Amino acid sequence: MSTTNGTSGTAKRDDDSLPLTELETAEILQSIRNSTTIPSTDLPADLALSYDLDRQRLQPPTDQEPPDLASYYWDASTMAPLNTVSAAAIARLRAYKPPPFPTWDRLPVSRRAAVLILLFADRKGDLRVVITMRAASLRNFSGHAAFPGGKADSLSETPYQIARREAWEEIGLPMDDAKIPKPFRIEPLCCLPCSLAKTELAVRPCVAFLHADDVPGKPQAMVDESMIPRLDAKEVAAVFSGPLHNFLKAKDEPREGETIPPGEWYDGYWHHWHGKPWRVHNFHVPVNNQKVTKPKVRDGGQAALADELDEEEDTVQRFLVWGLTGRMLVDTARIAYDEEPEFEHNAHYGDEAIIASLESTGRLPEKKKKEVGLDAIKDDVKDAKM
């Protein structure tokens, strides 16, 4: 990623080795916020954090606590219990702005889709991401792990509105923030460049963070222990989560107190997608150390396959996350942590060059809706809708 010069308009310092003053830090942060160039992932959040640590080391201790300079960039008092690395990752995602993509505005409604990449902090302060397993995939546990999401209903719907509506339909996450049970709340962070689905939909990933705010006099609420189990997997057979940073690694990252199940974390291969090289990432996400949320009410094929999951829960210890979902996870982690993966990958984010080429040559026309019978199971209905 290119580095944004966010210091224009500020006075040049004679000695760059000296720690920044609070005023200089605030000026730099404000100038970056006001910049009209594409922001980089070298964020002022990192600057504020590193300066805060340097300041505490260099200054003698006092009776008064030093100010939290990280709060220049985010409201630290209302964050979930993020560790330093996760807090910086959230700040990078907040600051990220995708490049302009005017092709989206020319696409018919039947070619527009969005997904919700919902992040939360676990008890160690590390970021995890919510993933669903579609019912049709559970028979062989061979894939179709996905983010909550789907096709646009109208041209006026924003990608974030699409993603939230579909998250309500699929996993029961309320569209109305006021209906999300306290102390949880959702903060939209950014959108990523569009990717191209196998069904030739332009899919906009929308990244959001699920906060668990402190309530005076009560223990800290944890998303994975309190909120995720409340979700109702309406149109999917399971809701689980994966460690976001691990989607940059070729092997499982060991975590204290957790057992790594047998099997490999990653494998991948290259193939061609509309004449372009496209890296397929296969992540085998452990689910042995977490509670997998399954439907409260089960209908049709969803019921049989979810029941099968119940029976095999003790033996199935990894879910396969691959294809478009795997690619979006890598893109999200690259931006969040400002790191490149240990494995081979596409250098660019998303598939906007392919989408623009297809649209300009008339290969993304309005899709005709399929008719579905009354006896179609929910997955068939959803496939027809998309």
Side-chain angles (χ1 to χ4, degrees):
M1 296 291 291
S2 61
T3 301
T4 302
N5 180 8
T7 59
S8 58
T10 60
K12 179 173 176 58
R13 310 178 78 244
D14 293 332
D15 187 352
D16 289 336
S17 64
L18 293 176
L20 296 174
T21 66
E22 291 185 29
L23 179 60
E24 288 170 328
T25 302
E27 287 178 351
I28 292 173
L29 299 181
Q30 189 59 47
S31 66
I32 292 177
R33 293 190 190 101
N34 295 337
S35 172
T36 57
T37 59
I38 297 175
S40 81
T41 53
D42 297 329
L43 296 180
D46 294 339
L47 173 65
L49 284 169
S50 61
Y51 166 62
D52 192 38
L53 294 174
D54 289 342
R55 186 170 182 267
Q56 293 182 46
R57 284 196 298 266
L58 293 171
Q59 290 187 349
T62 63
D63 294 335
Q64 186 176 7
E65 291 186 2
D68 179 10
L69 295 182
S71 63
Y72 278 116
Y73 208 84
W74 70 81
D75 186 357
S77 66
T78 61
M79 295 293 286
L82 296 168
N83 58 38
T84 302
V85 172
S86 297
I90 291 295
R92 290 190 188 95
L93 290 166
R94 272 203 197 95
Y96 179 78
K97 298 293 186 296
F101 187 54
T103 301
W104 174 272
D105 296 325
R106 297 192 296 269
L107 292 174
V109 66
S110 60
R111 297 287 181 177
R112 299 183 184 187
V115 296
L116 183 66
I117 301 180
L118 186 61
L119 308 178
F120 65 92
D122 65 12
R123 188 167 291 280
K124 296 181 175 66
D126 294 325
L127 290 177
R128 297 186 69 86
V129 56
V130 175
I131 308 171
T132 71
M133 185 69 73
R134 292 187 61 194
S137 69
L138 282 174
R139 189 172 300 281
N140 298 311
F141 301 98
S142 59
H144 304 313
F147 297 118
K151 193 177 75 64
D153 275 352
S154 69
L155 291 173
S156 62
E157 251 188 330
T158 68
Y160 185 67
Q161 289 171 336
I162 299 169
R164 287 294 298 271
R165 173 176 52 75
E166 290 288 337
W168 160 246
E169 294 177 5
E170 292 184 12
I171 64 173
L173 183 70
M175 288 188 292
D176 185 352
D177 287 341
K179 294 182 179 180
I180 295 176
K182 302 298 182 185
F184 304 104
R185 61 185 174 87
I186 295 178
E187 176 194 357
L189 297 176
C190 67
C191 289
L192 305 187
C194 292
S195 293
L196 184 64
K198 187 177 180 180
T199 52
E200 296 193 334
L201 295 175
V203 184
R204 175 73 81 177
C206 301
V207 186
F209 181 59
L210 184 55
H211 290 264
D213 295 332
D214 287 329
V215 177
K218 293 186 177 181
Q220 174 68 50
M222 304 304 300
V223 171
D224 53 345
E225 297 173 8
S226 302
M227 179 63 184
I228 299 299
R230 298 187 193 186
L231 299 180
D232 184 8
K234 297 180 176 181
E235 294 187 357
V236 298
V239 181
F240 63 104
S241 68
L244 183 62
H245 188 262
N246 213 150
F247 292 102
L248 296 171
K249 301 299 181 182
K251 296 183 178 180
D252 291 281
E253 288 188 309
R255 290 168 55 83
E256 184 180 353
E258 293 187 0
T259 302
I260 297 177
E264 296 296 323
W265 162 263
Y266 176 82
D267 61 85
Y269 60 92
W270 289 96
H271 84 137
H272 277 74
W273 178 224
H274 289 284
K276 304 289 185 182
W278 204 92
R279 181 71 175 180
V280 177
H281 304 292
N282 299 317
F283 296 102
H284 306 270
V285 179
V287 293
N288 60 311
N289 295 306
Q290 61 179 285
K291 172 67 176 177
V292 176
T293 301
K294 295 176 287 293
K296 294 181 177 67
V297 178
R298 304 175 180 185
D299 298 318
Q302 183 194 31
L305 293 170
D307 290 342
E308 182 177 323
L309 175 61
D310 286 341
E311 295 174 2
E312 299 187 22
E313 189 170 14
D314 292 336
T315 59
V316 176
Q317 297 184 305
R318 293 181 184 265
F319 283 163
L320 174 62
V321 179
W322 68 294
L324 191 65
T325 304
R327 172 74 174 273
M328 290 177 177
L329 283 164
V330 173
D331 285 354
T332 304
R334 287 172 65 196
I335 294 169
Y337 297 103
D338 195 21
E339 294 179 26
E340 291 303 302
E342 294 180 345
F343 40 79
E344 294 182 355
H345 64 284
N346 291 92
H348 58 278
Y349 300 120
D351 303 307
E352 291 186 344
I354 296 177
I355 298 170
S357 175
L358 293 175
E359 189 277 332
S360 66
T361 55
R363 297 169 63 187
L364 293 178
E366 185 78 48
K367 295 180 73 172
K368 293 182 180 180
K369 292 184 178 180
K370 299 178 182 178
E371 294 184 1
V372 294
L374 295 177
D375 294 331
I377 64 172
K378 284 188 175 182
D379 277 336
D380 291 334
V381 175
K382 189 163 185 65
D383 287 342
K385 182 175 71 171
M386 292 183 64

